[in-house]
């Protein structure tokens, strides 16, 4: 079957999406959901919570997961490096520094975080106009990450205890700060970007094989790579603004899509990684929302766990399996 992977992934996604409506810190039955959507539900408080909190949260997990998964595929193709993720160019460190700066000095995060993210991404992109070397661009990303990480450490030292907790929680990612309008805008931008990537899929395939192969289909490789990275930067900046930093998804999901479905076609990888990222974030969010009510924790967890607690666990398992699998051939 040609679209076997698409059918399986979309089925898993739909199941998790529906389960996420039912399960959480408090559960709701299937019939209550039906009554809610047909305006027959009498519990106004619970109905409001589902429509204004749980559903927007699920949509944000879906869109953000899809964005990070797709951007992971593009970054690996651009740098021809399996260990590169969407945060490598300085997006994570720039946004983290901007958010921490905004929190410490009581400034609006939605203005300061994107500003520093843009600066962090702009520097290596400008540098790439002077050098065509991928290795130098990778090292520039490391330099940018180091500089902003140092600044972040200074901000943590001078931050008050309450603000330090807020910074830490933001750095570990959260789906709690949902805004349905912003999520819909994010979804629209993602669809446009995904359509652009799919149109360029044959060129991305050539770029993945190396510059010698890419010259047959891409006239200006440096400009094409910059186009891809610019779109990735926009997507990731908007995603980070909504969720904070969510680790491992952009690194692990493209690899799993390649291994499980045994394909290296960028068009298939983009679609599969979009579904894979959405599925992973929905699953992780389902876990952290359910874990709060477990008797083991006995109410020790105030609020919710950061989403990266679950995604990092996934990443550790993935890395172990990946290394074990490679060691058999070494």
């Amino acid at each position: 079957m040609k679209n076997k992977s698409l059918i399986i992934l979309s089925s898993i996604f739909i199941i998790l999406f529906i389960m996420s409506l039912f399960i959480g810190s408090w559960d709701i039955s299937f019939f209550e959901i039906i009554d809610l959507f047909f305006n027959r539900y009498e519990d106004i408080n619970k109905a409001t919570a589902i429509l204004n909190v749980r559903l927007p949260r699920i949509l944000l997990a879906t869109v953000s997961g899809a964005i990070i998964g797709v951007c992971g595929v593009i970054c690996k193709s651009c740098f021809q490096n399996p260990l590169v993720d969407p945060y490598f160019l300085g997006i994570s460190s720039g946004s983290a520094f901007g958010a921490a700066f905004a929190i410490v000095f009581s400034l609006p995060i939605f203005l300061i975080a994107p500003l520093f993210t843009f600066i962090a991404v702009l520097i290596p992109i400008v540098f790439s106009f002077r050098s065509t070397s991928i290795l130098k661009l990778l090292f520039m990303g490391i330099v940018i990450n180091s500089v902003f990480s140092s600044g972040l450490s200074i901000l943590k030292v001078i931050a008050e205890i309450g603000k330090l907790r807020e910074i830490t929680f933001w750095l570990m990612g959260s789906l709690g700060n949902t805004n349905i309008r912003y999520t819909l805008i994010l979804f629209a931008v993602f669809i446009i970007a995904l359509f652009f990537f799919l149109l360029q899929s044959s060129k991305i395939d050539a770029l993945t094989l190396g510059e010698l192969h890419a010259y047959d289909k891409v006239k200006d490789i440096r400009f094409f790579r910059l186009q891809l990275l610019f779109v990735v930067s926009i997507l990731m900046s908007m995603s980070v603004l909504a969720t904070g930093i969510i680790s491992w998804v952009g690194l692990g999901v493209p690899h799993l899509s390649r291994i499980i479905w045994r394909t290296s076609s960028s068009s298939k990888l983009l679609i599969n990684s979009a579904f894979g990222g959405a599925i992973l974030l929905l699953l992780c969010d389902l876990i952290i929302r359910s874990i709060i009510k477990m008797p083991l924790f006995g109410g020790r967890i105030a609020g919710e766990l950061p989403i990266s607690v679950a995604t990092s666990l996934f990443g550790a398992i993935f890395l172990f399996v990946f290394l074990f699998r490679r060691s058999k051939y070494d």
Side-chain angles (χ1 to χ4, degrees), residues 154-172:
I154 295 172
L155 290 174
K156 283 183 176 180
V157 170
I158 65 175
E160 300 172 0
I161 295 178
K163 292 183 176 181
L164 180 60
R165 175 181 169 81
E166 189 178 348
I167 291 171
T168 303
F169 197 82
W170 195 90
L171 291 175
M172 297 179 72

Side-chain angles (χ1 to χ4, degrees), residues 166-188:
E166 189 178 348
I167 291 171
T168 303
F169 197 82
W170 195 90
L171 291 175
M172 297 179 72
S174 172
L175 299 170
N177 300 320
T178 54
N179 183 311
I180 189 65
R181 290 182 181 178
Y182 185 80
T183 303
L184 293 176
I185 293 171
L186 187 61
F187 176 71

Side-chain angles (χ1 to χ4, degrees), residues 47 57 69 103 119 132 188 227 230 244-245 253 261 265 270 285 292:
R57 182 189 182 101
I103 292 169
I119 293 172
T132 57
Q227 279 184 312
F230 180 73
I245 299 169
V253 168
W261 305 113
S265 168
L270 286 167
D285 185 49
I292 298 173

Side-chain angles (χ1 to χ4, degrees), residues 55-72:
L55 184 58
R57 182 189 182 101
I58 295 168
L59 292 174
L60 181 60
T62 299
V63 178
S64 296
I67 285 175
I68 301 172
V70 166
C71 289

Side-chain angles (χ1 to χ4, degrees), residues 301-319:
I301 302 175
E304 66 177 50
L305 287 170
I307 189 73
S308 285
V309 170
T311 57
S312 295
L313 180 61
F314 156 79
I317 295 171
F318 158 75
L319 188 58

